[in-house]
Amino acid sequence: MKTVKDYIRTIVDFPHEGILFRDVTTLFADPRGFRMAVDQMLHPYAGQRIDVVVGLEARGFILGGAIAHQLGTGFVPIRKKGKLPGTTISQHYKLEYGEAIVEVHDDAIQAGQRVLIVDDLLATGGTAEAGISLVERLGGVIVGCAFIVDLPDLGGRQRLEAMGMEVHALCAFEGL
């Protein structure tokens, strides 16, 4: 029987030499694999109240939309700077390949709403930490952070757990 990890392919030297890119598009393309991933990402939160799912740009949108649908909740995207049309708040952060800024609409999350943050991959934790900051600045309460892949050698899980976050990942790959 296949696991989620079996659906993920590795692309060598992308986007830079020496990087082993964990490509989840092969997982998304397979109906059984995709359903398995969504179901397994939801499992740790069964029975908990979740008011909104936040997806981190861009593959977190695919997962977040599917998970929000399953939970019957709303979905909020956290996007790269300049992509949202309304009034936003922003957060600068460092990621494994450089620096970036993400934004969320300033009215997307109400104070006290319970939020699940979702993305495909946890590497250094920079993007997730920026998302957490934005949600908390709006008064949201983070229930957890769910990922398909954890790259433990890059320290993202430890970074988020040091912030008091509950982190769930479906599989891990060693190395960069």
Side-chain angles (χ1 to χ4, degrees):
M1 185 158 132
K2 283 181 118 175
T3 67
V4 166
K5 192 172 187 176
D6 295 326
Y7 289 96
I8 299 167
R9 70 177 163 189
T10 299
I11 299 176
V12 178
D13 294 332
F14 182 83
H16 304 290
E17 188 175 331
I19 301 294
L20 297 173
F21 186 83
R22 309 308 177 168
D23 181 17
V24 296
T25 62
T26 48
L27 170 70
F28 293 165
D30 186 283
R32 285 189 180 131
F34 187 51
R35 177 173 293 281
M36 181 189 307
V38 170
D39 290 348
Q40 288 179 13
M41 289 178 85
L42 282 167
H43 183 73
Y45 306 100
Q48 292 188 45
R49 189 184 106 223
I50 296 173
D51 300 311
V52 67
V53 176
V54 165
L56 303 175
E57 179 138 354
R59 290 171 299 274
F61 298 169
I62 296 164
L63 294 162
I67 290 170
H69 173 75
Q70 286 294 99
L71 292 172
T73 67
F75 171 76
V76 171
I78 290 186
R79 303 231 36 206
K80 292 177 183 173
K81 183 175 176 59
K83 300 291 185 179
L84 292 170
T87 305
T88 62
I89 61 170
S90 0
Q91 183 67 43
H92 179 270
Y93 68 102
K94 293 183 181 189
L95 63 165
E96 55 272 30
Y97 309 120
E99 296 184 4
I101 298 173
V102 288
E103 298 179 323
V104 66
H105 281 129
D106 66 358
D107 60 354
I109 296 168
Q110 305 308 307
Q113 280 190 309
R114 295 175 52 83
V115 177
L116 175 62
I117 294 181
V118 176
D119 204 358
D120 67 321
L121 186 131
L122 177 58
T124 65
T127 307
E129 183 177 29
I132 290 164
S133 175
L134 290 171
V135 169
E136 289 179 338
R137 284 168 53 199
L138 292 176
V141 177
I142 312 242
V143 173
C145 302
F147 305 90
I148 294 173
V149 175
D150 180 18
L151 301 178
D153 293 343
L154 296 178
R157 176 185 285 271
Q158 292 84 358
R159 183 177 183 174
L160 299 184
E161 288 174 344
M163 296 173 66
M165 294 296 121
E166 182 177 304
V167 178
H168 292 282
L170 303 186
C171 64
F173 287 93
E174 301 302 319
L176 303 179

